[in-house]
Amino acid sequence: MSKERNYNSRSFHLFRNYITYSILLVIIGIALQYGVFSVMAVRQKMKMFDQQIDAALLPINERHMDSVLADLFKKKVFLETRFQMSKADSISLSVNLKDSILQLELKGVVIKSTKITDFEVDQFFYQLKPATYQHLFGTQSRVKSYLSTISKAPVIVKKAPKDTTEAQASNVKIESLKPEVVHWMLTLDKEIVLKIEGSDQYSRSDWWIGRKFWFKEDMNSLKNLKETIRFKVPEYYPVIRLVISESEAKAIYRALPAKPFVGIRL
């Protein structure tokens, strides 16, 4: 009886170990598959940009371009882009990562400028050939869509007073403003994503609410995982993430028109 019990116990442990190792192997396999297909997605995007007609025909020899010439080249490209944006009749956004400055411009005139306190750029951008860089940033980009934690034009609804006494009381009443998390994201027509996060030492917003906003956006990785499980290469959108003052982030977001032009300088 004891031998049978020991045999059953040993069989159970072997079965449990088999299930555990099988699950681990499946998870490792999915992770490796996701990694391989993600790399393929980045390379596919790079190849697509490199094969654009204007990028392929531009006579730029990267072998003879040192760091000084590369910096002058990017400066020239950015100035040309800003000149193009100056012809528009609406406010445009210029992102200068070289000098860490974010600006609102109208007809070539800077109407608002703020310091970029921190930023992150996908390594994808640092692998661009000069001709491909010219293709992406040598002309103005148009914003395709917005996503934000705040509204473009806040609506304040107030209840009308019943009589003069209530009206006088409402005039002296001071209402406290609820802190707002100021994060927004722009998707450009050149398949680049620009993420702006308002954060500074004077920020009064809820940190956790801001994390939830970006977590929802990062759920796109889950969609990519599903694609890789189906042996499909997921869509890749290179990202530029900026951190600026919370008050400036709110002011700039609400000043932008519906479909503004954007110029970027790495």
Side-chain angles (χ1 to χ4, degrees), residues 90 140-145 187-190 259-262:
S90 59
Q140 57 197 5
S141 299
R142 172 80 77 171
V143 172
K144 288 200 306 183
S145 62
T187 302
L188 308 183
D189 57 0
K190 294 182 180 179
K259 301 288 183 180
F261 287 115
V262 179

Side-chain angles (χ1 to χ4, degrees), residues 81-104:
T81 303
R82 292 177 64 193
F83 176 71
Q84 293 172 18
M85 294 192 301
S86 68
K87 298 178 182 179
D89 294 326
S90 59
I91 295 175
S92 58
L93 181 70
S94 69
V95 182
N96 186 346
L97 298 182
K98 170 69 175 178
D99 300 323
S100 297
I101 296 175
L102 186 69
Q103 295 181 159
L104 289 178

Side-chain angles (χ1 to χ4, degrees), residues 166-180:
E166 187 174 339
Q168 292 175 355
S170 63
N171 288 334
V172 298
K173 183 180 179 181
I174 301 176
E175 297 182 357
S176 60
L177 296 176
K178 183 180 179 181
E180 291 182 297

Side-chain angles (χ1 to χ4, degrees), residues 68-117:
V68 176
L69 288 177
D71 185 68
L72 291 175
F73 169 72
K74 291 180 179 180
K75 182 177 181 180
K76 171 181 173 292
V77 169
F78 187 50
L79 290 174
E80 290 175 348
T81 303
R82 292 177 64 193
F83 176 71
Q84 293 172 18
M85 294 192 301
S86 68
K87 298 178 182 179
D89 294 326
S90 59
I91 295 175
S92 58
L93 181 70
S94 69
V95 182
N96 186 346
L97 298 182
K98 170 69 175 178
D99 300 323
S100 297
I101 296 175
L102 186 69
Q103 295 181 159
L104 289 178
E105 300 179 6
L106 179 61
K107 291 290 186 180
V109 178
V110 177
I111 58 177
K112 189 172 186 59
S113 179
T114 187
K115 185 73 174 176
I116 299 173
T117 57

Side-chain angles (χ1 to χ4, degrees), residues 120-132:
E120 293 179 2
V121 179
D122 280 7
Q123 286 297 317
F124 172 87
F125 292 108
Y126 295 116
Q127 305 301 322
L128 294 175
K129 297 177 182 178
T132 309

Side-chain angles (χ1 to χ4, degrees), residues 15-31:
F15 177 75
R16 186 179 62 182
N17 291 338
Y18 173 78
I19 295 297
T20 302
Y21 288 133
S22 297
I23 293 174
L24 287 174
L25 286 174
V26 170
I27 293 174
I28 292 172
I30 291 175

